[in-house]
Amino acid sequence: MRRGGSCHLQDMTVMTGHNYRNYRFDKRTYINQYLGPFINHEMNRCIQCYRCVRYYKDYAGGKDLDVFAAHNHLYFGRHEDGVLESEFSGNLVEVCPTGVFTDKTLKQHYTRKWDLTMAPSVCHHCSLGCNISAGERYGTLRNITNRYNGEVNGYFLCDRGRFGYEHVNHVGRIRKPLVRAQLPEATDKYTALQAAAAAFRTGSVIGIGSPRASLESNFMLKTLVGDDNFHHGVSDTDHDLVCLALKILKEGAARTPSLREVEQADAVFILGEDLINTAPMLALAVRQSVRKQPALEHISKANIPVWQDAAVRELMQDEKGPLFIATIHDTKLDEIATHTYNDSPDAIARLGFAVAHFIHADFPEVQGLNEDEIQLARQIADTLMAANKPLVISGTHCGSERVLMLPPILPMRWWRKKKKRALCSPCPSATAWALPSSAATDWSPLSKRS
C-alpha cells in the first residue's frame, strides 16, 4: 500500500484481484524534486495521465509545473527544484490518481487514511465558506481535504484552506482552564466556571470577540458581558466597512452569486480588491469566467463539442473574456485582465463614478480625468452594458468606503434590466459578515455555506 489508501488506481487494482505482480526486471526510476513545504514528489508512481499539468496550467493558470521529455520518458515537475508558485498547488494532491503528489504536512504526523476520523466542516480562512473535510486522530488535526459543493468550491481548495491548519495543533494553545489567581498552574473547569461567574457578578468583565470565532461564540460572549463591554475584535474602520458591505448586499438591486455562477459571468469588473489574498477561490472562479467566455462563442460557431477541450483551446489560442481590474497595487490576476488600473483609492473611486456616468447620462459627469481614464471608463461601461451576466466585485481590501459604494450606485435602472447581474463583496475573515449581526443579534443575512 504505497500511498496509504489514497491511490484510486491501487483501489481498482486490488478490487479486480491483481494483488501480485510477476515483473522480474529492472524498473525505470526517477529523481524526485523538492516542491516546497506542502507538496511531496514521488515520480516513480506516475502513470503519465497528464491530469496534473492539465489542472495546474490550464485550469489554475500556473506556469512553473510542466511535462518534460517525450514518448515513454516523460517527467512531470518543475524545470528545477523549488517551491510551487500557484496558490492552488495543493489540489495536485487530490487530482493525481496515483500519489505522485502527496500532502507533505500529513507526512509530518502520518497516519493511514482509514485510521482518520473525518468530519464535514467549512473553511474559516475567508468569507467564501468553502466546504472541507477535517481528518483527526488522537486529538490532533492531521489533514484537510476538499468536500465537494457544486455551488461553492466544487472540487478544489486554495492552499491556505488546505494547509493552514497547524495552528490547531500548536503547543502554545491554551488547552486547559486557567485562573489568574492560580497561575501558572491549570485548574479544572468547575473552578474556572466559578471564578468566571464571580467576575461576571462584579460587572467588571469585557469580552473581545473575533471574526474567526464561530457565530455562536461571539453571540454568547456578547450576551454574557453585555453590549457596552463587548468588542468585535477588529478595528473600527474594518467594522464600518463590513457593515456598509452587508447593507449594500441586503438592500442593493444586484444579487450575490455563487462561485459556480461567477464562473459563468461574461464580463467582470474588480474594484479595489486583491482577490488572491482576500478570497483565493473567488479569484480562481474569475479566472474560469475569463477562460470560458470566448470558448462559448467559438464552439457555437465551429460546431465543436464542449467536452473536446483540446480542440477548443487550440481554436481559442490566447483569447480571453473581458476582465477589468482597478486596484491600488498589482495583483496576480493582472496577467489575464483586459485592462488594469493601479492608483489610489480616491482615483479608483473617480474611475468608477465615470463608469456610472457612461452607463447612464443622468449620473453626474466626473471632472479632471485624463483622456486615457475617460476612454477606459467608456470601455468598461460599454462592456458591462453589452454583457448578459455582468459581475462587479468590490470589497474592503483598500479600506475605502467610496470604492465599496461604487457598485450599488451604478444606475439602478441598468441593474434591474440585467436579470443575471451580480455583485460580490468578499471579506478576509470567516465570520466577518456576522460582526454587524453580533451587535444587532440579527442572523438573517448570513449566506448559505453548506
Side-chain angles (χ1 to χ4, degrees):
M1 295 294 184
R2 297 189 65 190
R3 203 191 168 199
S6 297
C7 176
H8 305 300
L9 181 61
Q10 174 181 280
D11 293 340
M12 296 297 103
T13 302
V14 174
M15 288 173 60
T16 54
H18 299 282
N19 299 355
Y20 302 95
R21 55 182 71 168
N22 297 320
Y23 190 83
R24 298 180 289 105
F25 307 99
D26 292 339
K27 297 181 181 180
R28 183 174 59 239
T29 57
Y30 297 89
I31 297 176
N32 300 319
Q33 287 184 321
Y34 171 76
L35 299 179
F38 300 138
I39 305 293
N40 193 59
H41 191 224
E42 181 57 70
M43 256 305 293
N44 292 329
R45 301 173 181 173
C46 184
I47 60 171
Q48 303 176 5
C49 67
Y50 282 81
R51 294 179 71 177
C52 56
V53 293
R54 288 285 305 280
Y55 159 76
Y56 196 87
K57 295 177 59 179
D58 298 344
Y59 191 88
K63 295 183 174 65
D64 59 322
L65 182 78
D66 212 328
V67 53
F68 301 94
H71 194 44
N72 63 337
H73 297 284
L74 298 179
Y75 188 91
F76 294 84
R78 301 182 83 250
H79 68 287
E80 62 180 3
D81 286 14
V83 180
L84 290 172
E85 298 174 358
S86 174
E87 292 79 8
F88 310 97
S89 62
N91 293 306
L92 293 171
V93 173
E94 295 193 59
V95 167
C96 179
T98 60
V100 175
F101 305 96
T102 52
D103 186 345
K104 187 178 286 188
T105 64
L106 173 62
K107 192 176 181 180
Q108 296 171 1
H109 38 63
Y110 183 69
T111 186
R112 294 289 187 179
K113 178 181 178 182
W114 47 79
D115 289 330
L116 290 172
T117 301
M118 306 296 293
S121 185
V122 173
C123 180
H124 65 280
H125 287 288
C126 75
S127 60
L128 295 182
C130 296
N131 287 203
I132 60 175
S133 293
E136 174 272 342
R137 194 182 190 204
Y138 298 143
T140 60
L141 187 60
R142 302 298 180 93
N143 78 326
I144 298 293
T145 56
N146 173 70
R147 179 165 61 94
Y148 177 80
N149 186 321
E151 295 302 317
V152 188
N153 53 301
Y155 293 98
F156 304 121
L157 293 174
C158 70
D159 286 359
R160 189 193 309 169
R162 183 181 298 275
F163 301 119
Y165 67 88
E166 286 292 351
H167 66 281
V168 176
N169 304 322
H170 196 276
V171 294
R173 291 193 67 192
I174 299 176
R175 301 179 182 274
K176 294 182 180 180
L178 299 175
V179 177
R180 179 171 297 178
Q182 301 181 14
L183 289 177
E185 298 297 328
T187 184
D188 61 90
K189 65 178 180 181
Y190 300 105
T191 303
L193 288 173
Q194 291 173 0
F200 282 126
R201 282 193 290 268
T202 65
S204 59
V205 178
I206 64 170
I208 302 177
S210 170
R212 293 185 179 275
S214 68
L215 312 184
E216 297 82 0
S217 297
N218 281 323
F219 178 71
M220 184 55 65
L221 181 60
K222 185 191 75 70
T223 303
L224 285 172
V225 302
D227 292 351
D228 295 336
N229 295 329
F230 176 77
H231 189 270
H232 35 65
V234 298
S235 68
D236 291 339
T237 300
D238 289 341
H239 180 264
D240 293 343
L241 288 171
V242 170
C243 290
L244 177 60
L246 183 59
K247 181 179 179 180
I248 290 171
L249 293 177
K250 289 175 61 178
E251 301 176 2
R255 57 185 293 273
T256 301
S258 66
L259 292 185
R260 174 61 63 85
E261 291 171 327
V262 170
E263 295 180 358
Q264 307 302 322
D266 52 1
V268 182
F269 184 24
I270 300 176
L271 282 160
E273 200 68 24
D274 182 3
L275 295 183
I276 285 292
N277 288 308
T278 305
M281 289 302 295
L282 180 57
L284 186 62
V286 169
R287 183 178 289 275
Q288 304 320 305
S289 72
V290 173
R291 187 172 69 99
K292 289 180 179 179
Q293 198 274 335
L296 297 176
E297 296 180 0
H298 284 303
I299 61 178
S300 61
K301 297 177 182 178
N303 197 27
I304 298 176
V306 178
W307 54 264
Q308 189 61 273
D309 184 69
V312 172
R313 286 187 290 114
E314 182 69 22
L315 183 64
M316 286 173 49
Q317 297 296 318
D318 294 330
E319 188 173 348
K320 301 178 179 65
L323 169 62
F324 300 93
I325 303 177
T327 56
I328 57 178
H329 55 72
D330 295 338
T331 71
K332 282 203 169 183
L333 287 179
D334 291 353
E335 62 184 13
I336 61 171
T338 305
H339 200 288
T340 60
Y341 180 81
N342 299 134
D343 212 321
S344 66
D346 288 341
I348 293 173
R350 293 171 68 247
L351 176 68
F353 287 124
V355 172
H357 168 72
F358 285 120
I359 289 178
H360 203 286
D362 290 347
F363 202 84
E365 183 178 359
V366 179
Q367 302 296 328
L369 296 178
N370 60 44
E371 187 62 30
D372 291 340
E373 291 172 332
I374 293 174
Q375 292 300 324
L376 175 59
R378 188 186 301 275
Q379 181 184 4
I380 295 173
D382 292 343
T383 302
L384 291 176
M385 287 190 293
N388 294 318
K389 301 175 183 178
L391 171 64
V392 180
I393 300 175
S394 176
T396 63
H397 178 75
C398 64
S400 171
E401 289 189 1
R402 295 186 66 198
V403 173
L404 188 58
M405 291 176 62
L406 278 171
I409 66 171
L410 292 175
M412 300 293 290
R413 280 175 287 181
W414 173 74
W415 275 116
R416 293 193 178 100
K417 288 179 181 178
K418 298 291 182 179
K419 294 182 179 180
K420 295 184 179 181
R421 78 281 187 203
L423 167 64
C424 276
S425 291
C427 282
S429 301
T431 54
W433 294 124
L435 292 180
S437 303
S438 62
T441 65
D442 174 19
W443 305 101
S444 58
L446 299 177
S447 61
K448 177 179 67 177
R449 291 197 170 190
S450 59

